[in-house]
Amino acid sequence: MLTLKHTLAAFLAAALVLATALAAGARAEEYVEGEHYDVITPAVASRHPDKIEVTEFFSYSCGHCYNFEPLVSKWKETLGEDVVVVPSPVIWNKPMELLAKAYYAAEVLDVTELMHLALFQAIHVDRQRLTSAGDIAEVFEDAGVAEAGFLKAFNSFGVSSLARQADARARAARITGTPEVMVAGKYRITTRKAGSQAGMLEIAEFLIDKERAAKAAAAPAETAAGA
């Protein structure tokens, strides 16, 4: 039996669907599947199912990624609370595996914000060759992270597991270059198709709106089913 509470909830849900659809529709004709972005089939599982997850595929050794990072940092500040941006290092060879493990070691040690830019700077500004765990440990030490603590995290099963998961994620998303962006595990955006790094983020916003509209449209059905 429908009550005033259920009717009000349905009204608010419908209003949210309309508002979200209008926001997405403002750019609906702007970006086209296959021309500006690609659909990933099957979709890649999200690590944050309660959020719209944006995955930034990168490598510390990639100069384009180094240039992309300031854009992403500023862009993240403009996003809604329902969106989360997650960096994901790619691994195509042994040196890249070392750098991917460096990223996850920083994550395990809770120093990602400190070390993410420090690792980029070490390679692209200071011109350091980070080809071993010892080389990377020096960068962590310079930033105030003890070598012993870093090496323990770097060599841990947990960090190795996270690196393997990142590799599997990039393969599932069919990532062929860096930087590339994935939205909601469903859409892949490349610089080549976007035309520029700023264009990648504009298309990502369009796809975030698209995903937000899809979630809003599904909400009334879920509410009705649970009534």
Side-chain angles (χ1 to χ4, degrees):
M1 176 179 178
L2 286 176
T3 65
L4 178 60
K5 180 180 178 181
H6 289 135
T7 303
L8 180 59
F11 173 78
L12 292 174
L16 178 60
V17 171
L18 178 59
T20 306
L22 288 172
R27 289 181 292 188
E29 301 300 322
E30 200 169 332
Y31 301 115
V32 180
E33 175 190 332
E35 182 179 347
H36 301 104
Y37 64 90
D38 295 302
V39 173
I40 300 170
T41 306
V44 181
S46 173
R47 290 150 291 171
H48 301 83
D50 58 327
K51 302 275 190 178
I52 300 173
E53 184 176 274
V54 177
T55 306
E56 174 202 357
F57 291 99
F58 79 99
S59 171
Y60 286 121
S61 59
C62 166
H64 296 299
C65 298
Y66 171 68
N67 293 329
F68 189 47
E69 201 57 36
L71 294 179
V72 175
S73 294
K74 278 186 168 293
W75 181 68
K76 284 193 294 187
E77 297 173 1
T78 70
L79 301 175
E81 292 183 359
D82 60 337
V83 181
V84 59
V85 179
V86 183
S88 187
V90 298
I91 302 172
W92 293 321
N93 52 46
K94 191 64 177 177
M96 292 174 83
E97 181 183 2
L98 290 173
L99 294 172
K101 288 177 66 177
Y103 173 80
Y104 287 115
E107 188 175 90
V108 166
L109 294 168
D110 197 25
V111 292
T112 306
E113 188 173 342
L114 173 67
M115 294 310 307
H116 195 48
L117 293 179
L119 287 163
F120 270 123
Q121 179 166 322
I123 294 172
H124 299 284
V125 178
D126 302 333
R127 301 299 179 185
Q128 296 183 40
R129 290 175 54 80
L130 305 183
T131 58
S132 70
D135 292 339
I136 298 169
E138 288 183 14
V139 180
F140 275 73
E141 266 200 303
D142 288 343
V145 180
E147 179 181 14
F150 163 74
L151 290 174
K152 182 178 179 180
F154 183 86
N155 292 315
S156 68
F157 174 81
V159 162
S160 294
S161 178
L162 288 168
R164 286 194 297 271
Q165 290 172 33
D167 187 37
R169 185 161 47 249
R171 292 177 187 277
R174 300 178 185 85
I175 300 303
T176 58
T178 53
E180 291 189 8
V181 172
M182 177 173 68
V183 176
K186 302 175 182 178
Y187 310 105
R188 181 179 62 252
I189 311 166
T190 65
T191 310
R192 182 176 63 82
K193 286 193 173 181
S196 68
Q197 292 186 347
M200 291 174 70
L201 299 181
E202 290 175 6
I203 296 170
E205 284 189 26
F206 164 76
L207 293 170
I208 288 168
D209 286 343
K210 182 181 177 74
E211 185 65 13
R212 190 177 282 134
K215 283 178 174 286
E222 292 175 359
T223 300

